[in-house]
Each structure stands twice: as structure tokens, then as C-alpha cells.
């Protein structure tokens, strides 16, 4: 007959075995890449480098994976590559499939101001709105958290927003953070055909959170006013669901300097409470064949300093830009200059970086991506397949760090 002490020991042993097996099942197996594409890549470079600062994010993701209802908030900042949301949709989908879907994150009604939108977003309005983005010289309409801003041109302005069904799925949310401006003293939110929320503010507000009565995939936002209203974006979340909340912020033509000169952007982005920032910029700076590395890095440093000031505990991942051509004539040599400058800066300042340029085989790789039709006709932007590939490469690099973190955690037990 087993003693009580023996039974307890066996129980503890079985608990440790089950815990170890559960942790081993947490290893992240990512999608296999097409064999004909693998030959054109340098996968030995597909790593996140200087990863010590990722430990708090990885620890939070581990808690979420096992027992916590927290949200791991990632903000991906960039240019037209990011505005299109083709690469970031892959990263967001894969991360949320593995760690949990805490919401779609930041959206903007791009179509209302006649700009291109991610494929899953539909927006329209019967009102007249004027728009602006951070790369334009227009100073009459401020740009905010989305890199965009729009201003009403009629009384009682409104707009509609809806998610499309993608792969038989439609994103839902039950909490919205609104970023606004102007004399916003009253607003109404209609959703799910018969539900609504009416809000009155004692004084004009530029930010408000609204919890819905039930999950929704769209809304109509109305401002009953004679005054001019500005709108900058909305964060869509699942309020009681833990997981990854992945915000994608991109503006066509954007450079580091464009974000740096936009004070409202920096004021509002703090409200996202990011755990991690991913920066994908540099393509537009590379259109200058005489770009000076020191001038470029000066702008990178300003961005990083801003992020550290507003989110001192968040990690920062900087991506080198993807391959492309200069004026369709030859692979863009300025990208190599920018890439080397980014790597040196990150090494000197112990920042995490992902070297997408050299993963893509650098200057030599540009012609391969062109031959495989992964680049579009302008030889700067990418086909859907090209962006999907970039997203999967980033996920694979992040998964390596996660799996290494998990191995050390298992071995520690």
C-alpha cells in the first residue's frame, strides 16, 4: 500500500510531466514556404536580433497562452506597405491564431476620404468630409494616430463602417476607442441594426471609449452638431478577451520625418498602451539616391526617442526596408545604405531589428523578386503574394524567439 507521502510525490511528478508536455505543445510551428521561393531567400538571416528587450512581451504572451486574460498590444508603424495591411494582416492573423484574438485594432475610414483601405474594411458617408495624411503639406487638417485626419464639411456629419467577410470570417468587436477633435459634445453610435449608444459630454472631448451591448461587425457614427468635427481613427477590441491586439498604422509615402513632425500623432498613440512597436519605414527615404546615413539615422533616433518617452516599458523592433528598384531601372542601392545604417544604429543601441532587406538577398534579390512577380509593375510595391511572403517571414522570425524562450522556460523547470 502506498504511503500518503508516496501518493503526493507521484501526484507532483504527474503534474510536472503534464505541465512539461503542455509547454512542449506550445512550440510554434509556422507555415512552410514555397520551395521555389526559398532558393531566392537568405533564410539564415531571417532572425530577430538583439532580443533581450523582448522578454517582457514574451512573458506576457506566455501568461496569455496559459492563464491570463491580458492583452499584448503591438503597434506596427509604416508607409504604404503597411497602409495596404497585406503583410500586417498575415502577422496579425498568425499571432492571434496562436495567442488569441483580442481585436482588430486601429482602423480609419479611408474610403470616405478616397484613399486605399485594407481589404477587410468598408467605409462610406452621405456627409462631405475632407481628408489629409501626414505626407501632405496641407496644414489646415491635423493628422493623428492613424497618420490621417478628416474634417467634416457639412452639418450633422456621419460615416458608416463595416467589416467584410474574409475566408468565411468577419471580425467583431464590443469596445471602441474613438480619437476625435473639434467641438465634440454629442455623438451617437448605431450598430447591429437596432442597438445604439448615445453620448453627451460636458465639454468638448478628443477621446472616448464605448462598450457595446453585444458583439458587432460594424457601426454608424453620427455627430449631431453645426460645428466642424475632426476624426483620426478608432481602436476596435474584444473587451473581455485576452490575446494579441495588433494595430497597423501606415500612410502612403510616409517617412520617419513625417511621423516626427506630427505632434497629434505622438499625443494620441500613447493611448494605445503598446507593449511592442514594430517599425517598417525606409522605402521612401531610399528614393533619394544621395541620402546621407547620418541624416537618416537622426530621424530614426527621434522616432525611437519619442516611443521610449511615451512607452518606456515597450520593446521596439525596427525592420530594414524590403527590396525594390530605383525608377524601375535598377535595384535601389540606397536601400543598402539605409539597411547598414539601421543595423549599426540598432547594434550600438541594443535595439531589436529584423533585416528584411538581406533576408530577401539584398540588391541581388531585387531581380529575383521581380522575376517571380512578387514585385508590382512600379517595382516598389509588392503583389499580394509578395506581402504575404514578408508577413510569413516575420512570423517565422518571431516564432524562433518564442520557441527559444519556451525551451529555456521548460529547461528551467
Amino acid at each position: 500500500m502506498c504511503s500518503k507521502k508516496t501518493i503526493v510525490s507521484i501526484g507532483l511528478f504527474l503534474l510536472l510531466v503534464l505541465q512539461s508536455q503542455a509547454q512542449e505543445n506550445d512550440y510554434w510551428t509556422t507555415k512552410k514556404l514555397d520551395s521555389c521561393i526559398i532558393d531566392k531567400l537568405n533564410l539564415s538571416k531571417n532572425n530577430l536580433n538583439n532580443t533581450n528587450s523582448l522578454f517582457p512581451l514574451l512573458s506576457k504572451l506566455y501568461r496569455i497562452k496559459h492563464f491570463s486574460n491580458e492583452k499584448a498590444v503591438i503597434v506596427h508603424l509604416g508607409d504604404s506597405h503597411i497602409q495596404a495591411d497585406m503583410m500586417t494582416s498575415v502577422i496579425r492573423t498568425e499571432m492571434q491564431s496562436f495567442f488569441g484574438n483580442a481585436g482588430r485594432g486601429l482602423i480609419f475610414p479611408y474610403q470616405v476620404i478616397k484613399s486605399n483601405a485594407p481589404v477587410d474594411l468598408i467605409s462610406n458617408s452621405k456627409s462631405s468630409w475632407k481628408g489629409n495624411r501626414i505626407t501632405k503639406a496641407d496644414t489646415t487638417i491635423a493628422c493623428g494616430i492613424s497618420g490621417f485626419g478628416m474634417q467634416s464639411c457639412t452639418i450633422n456629419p456621419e460615416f458608416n463602417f463595416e467589416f467584410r467577410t474574409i475566408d468565411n470570417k468577419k471580425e467583431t468587436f464590443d469596445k471602441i476607442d474613438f480619437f476625435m477633435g473639434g467641438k465634440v459634445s454629442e455623438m451617437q453610435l448605431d450598430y447591429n441594426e437596432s442597438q445604439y449608444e448615445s453620448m453627451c459630454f460636458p465639454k468638448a472631448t478628443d477621446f472616448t471609449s464605448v462598450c457595446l451591448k453585444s458583439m458587432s461587425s460594424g457601426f454608424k457614427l453620427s455627430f449631431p452638431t453645426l460645428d466642424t468635427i475632426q476624426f483620426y481613427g478608432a481602436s476596435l477590441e474584444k473587451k473581455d478577451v485576452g490575446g494579441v491586439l495588433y494595430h497597423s498604422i501606415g500612410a502612403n509615402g510616409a517617412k520617419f520625418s513625417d511621423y516626427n513632425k506630427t505632434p497629434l500623432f505622438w499625443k494620441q498613440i500613447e493611448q494605445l498602451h503598446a507593449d511592442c512597436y514594430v517599425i517598417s519605414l525606409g522605402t521612401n527615404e531610399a528614393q533619394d539616391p544621395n541620402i546621407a546615413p547620418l541624416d537618416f539615422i537622426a530621424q530614426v533616433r527621434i522616432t525611437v526617442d519619442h516611443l521610449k518617452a511615451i512607452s518606456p516599458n515597450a520593446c521596439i523592433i525596427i525592420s530594414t526596408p524590403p527590396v525594390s528598384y530605383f525608377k524601375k531601372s535598377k535595384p535601389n542601392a540606397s536601400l543598402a545604405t539605409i539597411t547598414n545604417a539601421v543595423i549599426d544604429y540598432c547594434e550600438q543601441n541594443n535595439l531589436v531589428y529584423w533585416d528584411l532587406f538581406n533576408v530577401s538577398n539584398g540588391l541581388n534579390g531585387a531581380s529575383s523578386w521581380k522575376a517571380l512577380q512578387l514585385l508590382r509593375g512600379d517595382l516598389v510595391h509588392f503583389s499580394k503574394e509578395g506581402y504575404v511572403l514578408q508577413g510569413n517571414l516575420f512570423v517565422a522570425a518571431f516564432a524562433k524567439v518564442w520557441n527559444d524562450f519556451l525551451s529555456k522556460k521548460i529547461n528551467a523547470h
Side-chain angles (χ1 to χ4, degrees), residues 31-32 60 67 80 82 101 104 110 142 159 188 194 240 242 255 257 271 298 313 326 329 336 349 354 358 365 382:
K31 293 180 177 178
K32 292 184 178 181
K60 177 179 267 196
F67 57 82
S80 56
I82 305 305
N101 181 351
R104 174 61 170 78
Y110 300 98
F159 70 86
Q188 179 162 319
S194 60
D240 295 322
K255 303 176 183 177
S257 58
Q271 295 281 1
N313 297 318
F326 181 69
S329 61
N349 293 275
W354 179 50
N358 284 307
F382 295 82

Side-chain angles (χ1 to χ4, degrees), residues 102-250:
R104 174 61 170 78
L106 193 73
I107 61 100
F108 182 82
Y110 300 98
Q111 290 115 325
V112 172
I113 62 166
K114 298 178 173 55
S115 188
N116 61 298
V119 68
D120 63 334
L121 307 187
I122 306 171
S123 60
N124 56 70
S125 176
K126 294 179 181 178
S127 305
S128 177
W129 296 83
K130 183 180 179 184
N132 190 25
R133 72 171 185 266
I134 56 173
T135 57
K136 292 184 177 179
D138 185 352
T139 57
T140 60
I141 302 175
C143 293
I145 190 167
S146 61
F148 284 77
M150 67 185 205
Q151 182 170 289
S152 62
C153 303
T154 54
I155 63 171
N156 304 321
E158 51 74 35
F159 70 86
N160 296 280
F161 169 83
E162 183 74 28
F163 279 117
R164 279 193 177 95
T165 300
I166 305 293
D167 296 330
N168 297 316
K169 297 177 184 176
K170 183 181 282 193
E171 187 61 82
T172 59
F173 53 90
D174 61 355
K175 179 177 180 289
I176 312 175
D177 292 340
F178 289 109
F179 297 86
M180 306 165 293
K183 296 181 180 179
V184 181
S185 58
E186 184 179 358
M187 54 189 280
Q188 179 162 319
L189 188 69
D190 294 275
Y191 59 100
N192 289 345
E193 295 186 356
S194 60
Q195 293 179 304
Y196 67 92
E197 312 293 337
S198 293
M199 292 142 282
C200 293
F201 309 102
K203 62 178 182 178
T205 186
D206 57 7
F207 175 82
T208 191
S209 292
V210 182
C211 291
L212 309 186
K213 296 179 180 73
S214 61
M215 285 287 184
S216 181
S217 60
F219 62 81
K220 177 181 179 180
L221 185 63
S222 308
F223 300 91
T225 181
L226 302 178
D227 294 308
T228 299
I229 300 298
Q230 289 88 39
F231 187 81
Y232 305 109
S235 173
L236 310 181
E237 306 177 23
K238 304 177 193 293
K239 64 175 182 282
D240 295 322
V241 179
V244 170
L245 183 61
Y246 203 100
H247 300 287
S248 179
I249 302 173

Side-chain angles (χ1 to χ4, degrees), residues 271-313:
Q271 295 281 1
L272 297 181
H273 306 292
D275 295 294
C276 176
Y277 294 98
V278 183
I279 307 175
S280 296
L281 290 163
T283 293
N284 295 300
E285 285 90 340
Q287 297 308 303
D288 177 4
N290 301 312
I291 188 168
L294 291 177
D295 293 341
F296 170 73
I297 290 300
Q299 293 297 327
V300 176
R301 184 177 290 108
I302 292 171
T303 299
V304 169
D305 288 348
H306 275 313
L307 294 176
K308 287 183 174 180
I310 63 175
S311 305
N313 297 318

